[in-house]
Amino acid sequence: MALVNMNKMLTDARAGKYAVGAFDVSNLDMAMAVTEAAEEKKSPVILMGLAVDLVGDRLSYWLGYLRRIAEAASVPVAVHLDHAVDIPFIKRCIDGGFSSVMFDGSMLPLEENLRKTSEVVSYAHRFDVSVEAELGHVGDGIVGNSEIGAVKKDTFDNPDDFLTQPSELAEFVARSQVDCIAVAVGTAHGLYVHKPHIHFDRLQELNAISPVPMVMHGGSGTPDGLIRKSVANGICKLNIFSEMLTAFNGTLKEELQHAEHLAIWPHQLYQKPLAALQEVVRQKIDLVGSAGKA
């Protein structure tokens, strides 16, 4: 296949009533592991980069190997910038070769979110780059690192305080010309400190209104049954990161605890942790129904 943007990928998912897994990959090992799992499952996949992993010269290095992985893959791969808030940085990412970007103006006043999203869309569409926006706000469900990398966050966000308003959706999409929209219906980023409650009545209403595919952030830790029902009600892209990290870091911790010494080559040390990460990816691909859709 090839490196693609998200437009056809998510349009096909909406028509087929499945979703595509989107996985944050901080380094080469993670990117290769996710892509290999997608190829095994014959599934389209979205590899995502976070701004905190792309500071300085890291952007060109990270993007160079991600593009090469995508172009060599046997399944469609989108390389997507996740949760970016700085427009000059987003433009640098577009210029550098991302096939898709997200501008997250979800904490801005509505008109400012719309204005800045429109600016990103106008620039990105000149280069056939798809754009995701967020309406409502999917906050952080864990005390710790926030979604944009701010550390020592002292409180979690109550998802019910920031739900997407159906009355705002159609106009936001029409005026911004965004390609897909992240909606807030009860999930949270990170690890949940409270049991998630998805507002399916709200999701159904949004799905009936939205002219573009909808995205769910906060897929990690959300029970499988809730994810399946969310996909059945219009979610076309599911974001995953924390579950991958838990699997990788938990297995890595076990490997180090049982090691006879610590002079272990990374190639050897990371084999089981990466296998654990891949299993999460496989499970999510099966869960959202994208296996065999490449």
Side-chain angles (χ1 to χ4, degrees), residues 160-231:
D160 289 354
D161 291 341
F162 303 97
L163 298 179
T164 302
Q165 299 302 313
S167 60
E168 298 172 348
L169 180 59
E171 182 178 4
F172 186 93
V173 173
R175 289 175 61 187
S176 68
Q177 294 296 295
V178 74
D179 299 293
C180 60
I181 190 81
V183 294
V185 291
T187 56
H189 295 102
L191 303 176
Y192 285 102
V193 294
H194 294 287
K195 184 178 179 180
H197 169 69
I198 307 299
H199 295 262
F200 286 107
D201 54 344
R202 178 73 56 101
L203 180 57
Q204 290 165 1
E205 186 176 2
L206 293 170
N207 190 37
I209 294 169
S210 181
V212 296
M214 296 189 301
V215 177
M216 177 172 279
H217 289 241
S220 291
T222 302
D224 289 357
L226 297 184
I227 289 177
R228 289 192 192 96
K229 189 172 180 180
S230 298
V231 172

Side-chain angles (χ1 to χ4, degrees), residues 32-235:
M32 292 182 67
V34 171
T35 305
E36 288 168 3
E39 290 180 312
E40 177 187 324
K41 289 290 185 177
K42 296 180 172 56
S43 169
V45 71
I46 300 163
L47 304 179
M48 301 194 298
L50 290 163
V52 292
D53 294 321
L54 304 175
V55 295
D57 291 339
R58 293 182 181 183
L59 171 60
S60 61
Y61 299 140
W62 185 95
L63 188 52
Y65 64 66
L66 260 292
R67 284 182 58 89
R68 187 167 182 177
I69 289 170
E71 289 164 355
S74 60
V75 297
V77 179
V79 178
H80 178 71
L81 178 64
D82 191 20
H83 278 296
V85 297
D86 181 77
I87 291 179
F89 177 74
I90 293 172
K91 290 180 177 179
R92 280 183 57 207
C93 290
I94 293 169
D95 294 341
F98 273 86
S99 66
S100 183
V101 297
M102 177 189 184
F103 171 69
D104 182 1
S106 61
M107 290 300 288
L108 300 174
L110 179 61
E111 284 298 322
E112 186 177 359
N113 185 5
L114 180 56
R115 177 178 59 80
K116 290 186 174 181
T117 298
S118 299
E119 180 182 348
V120 172
V121 169
S122 177
Y123 190 84
H125 283 182
R126 289 161 49 190
F127 303 95
D128 196 30
V129 171
S130 55
V131 180
E132 174 184 339
E134 186 168 329
L135 187 63
H137 176 65
V138 182
D140 299 316
I142 182 174
V143 177
N145 287 8
S146 80
E147 63 194 28
I148 59 171
V151 297
K152 296 184 179 178
K153 191 173 187 295
D154 296 324
T155 60
F156 67 91
D157 299 317
N158 183 349
D160 289 354
D161 291 341
F162 303 97
L163 298 179
T164 302
Q165 299 302 313
S167 60
E168 298 172 348
L169 180 59
E171 182 178 4
F172 186 93
V173 173
R175 289 175 61 187
S176 68
Q177 294 296 295
V178 74
D179 299 293
C180 60
I181 190 81
V183 294
V185 291
T187 56
H189 295 102
L191 303 176
Y192 285 102
V193 294
H194 294 287
K195 184 178 179 180
H197 169 69
I198 307 299
H199 295 262
F200 286 107
D201 54 344
R202 178 73 56 101
L203 180 57
Q204 290 165 1
E205 186 176 2
L206 293 170
N207 190 37
I209 294 169
S210 181
V212 296
M214 296 189 301
V215 177
M216 177 172 279
H217 289 241
S220 291
T222 302
D224 289 357
L226 297 184
I227 289 177
R228 289 192 192 96
K229 189 172 180 180
S230 298
V231 172
N233 284 282
I235 292 300

